[in-house]
Amino acid sequence: MPPVLLTKRIEFAAAHRYIKPEWDEAKNRAVFGPCYNPPAHGHNYMLEVTVSGEVDPKTGMVINLFDLKRVLLTVIEEFDHKHFNLDMSYFNDRIPTSENIARLLWTKLEPQQDIGTLHTVRLYEDEDLYADITAAGGLDVASVTRRYSFTAVQEGNQGHVWDCFVTVHGPIDPVTGMVTDIGALDRLAQERVVKAIDRQGLEQVLGQAVTGDALAKHVWGRLAGSVAGGTLERVRLVQTRDLSFEYSG
């Protein structure tokens, strides 16, 4: 029987700031944007941990959820209600980006024998941004996903809000701690996708009747090759809570 994946979520609160002390203010602001603003900003982080393993024939479980929750609570206790820059020596020489925090959490969780084999660590800053570290990719590579929203109309239907999740994959920059320039990605997505589609009929935008899967491919085409840092990995369009479309070129 192939391994089964089990995912558990847990929340903690912390603050961080993106800053390179050796850079002047102009360069810090150019690279990090609002994340540079002093003194810091906080998040209710959501940590999502996926483990892999065989189903125990006696218990019917991959891992005891009580054990998994206990380990997660023990690990995040060190980080909860902390200022990453000021309170945690881990970030004396690196920036506490989502990618770097997720990577650090991986190193804390991976040795824990009670949780089976670690498969993925996903860290949400909020509903619009999260980072993934995976066993397959290793500690120096991450995926970052950003959410954008627009309103569009399909033929014969009323307009509704589509959520567009754009995922960029690549090495974590050792200087900035980021896979990609989020500010540049935001500008690209707003210009190429949101402004081009928002509050319009999809048939008018594409010049033909369009389905959700065709729209996901269209969005991919408008972004591919233009991402500043990393590689476009996936576009996922959520039409409703029960229906989504995904495209990877």
Side-chain angles (χ1 to χ4, degrees), residues 14-190:
H16 65 166
R17 183 187 182 199
Y18 292 11
I19 179 174
K20 294 287 288 184
E22 62 269 32
W23 292 354
D24 62 23
E25 181 167 344
K27 185 170 183 179
N28 271 292
R29 289 200 177 278
V31 174
F32 301 126
C35 291
Y36 167 70
N37 291 343
H41 60 280
H43 296 284
N44 289 323
Y45 287 97
M46 179 68 75
L47 172 61
E48 188 175 279
V49 176
T50 300
V51 297
S52 172
E54 302 289 340
V55 176
D56 188 302
K58 295 181 179 179
T59 66
M61 298 185 293
V62 171
I63 186 69
N64 189 307
L65 284 175
F66 177 83
D67 292 334
L68 180 57
K69 182 178 181 180
R70 174 180 51 79
V71 169
L72 294 182
L73 286 171
T74 300
V75 168
I76 66 169
E77 183 178 10
E78 182 182 6
F79 301 89
D80 195 28
H81 289 87
K82 296 293 176 57
H83 188 309
F84 282 115
N85 303 73
L86 302 180
D87 300 331
M88 314 213 74
S89 60
Y90 306 112
F91 298 103
N92 288 344
D93 60 351
R94 67 187 65 185
I95 297 171
T97 59
S98 295
E99 296 95 314
N100 274 338
I101 299 169
R103 175 162 58 179
L104 175 60
L105 287 166
W106 180 285
T107 66
K108 295 286 186 177
L109 290 165
E110 199 270 339
Q112 302 291 332
Q113 297 181 354
D114 291 340
I115 65 171
T117 302
L118 197 56
H119 182 274
T120 303
V121 166
R122 173 172 291 181
L123 184 68
Y124 289 83
E125 278 198 3
D126 52 41
E127 293 182 347
D128 295 330
L129 181 66
Y130 61 84
D132 289 322
I133 299 290
T134 67
L139 289 178
D140 295 326
V141 175
S143 293
V144 175
T145 300
R146 186 74 155 166
R147 181 177 72 167
Y148 306 94
S149 298
F150 55 83
T151 299
V153 182
Q154 285 179 286
E155 185 177 6
N157 295 321
Q158 293 182 341
H160 59 263
V161 176
W162 296 69
D163 285 330
C164 177
F165 292 85
V166 177
T167 300
V168 179
H169 178 81
I172 302 173
D173 188 289
V175 176
T176 67
M178 299 187 294
V179 166
T180 190
D181 184 330
I182 293 295
L185 182 63
D186 288 347
R187 293 189 291 273
L188 178 68
Q190 289 292 332

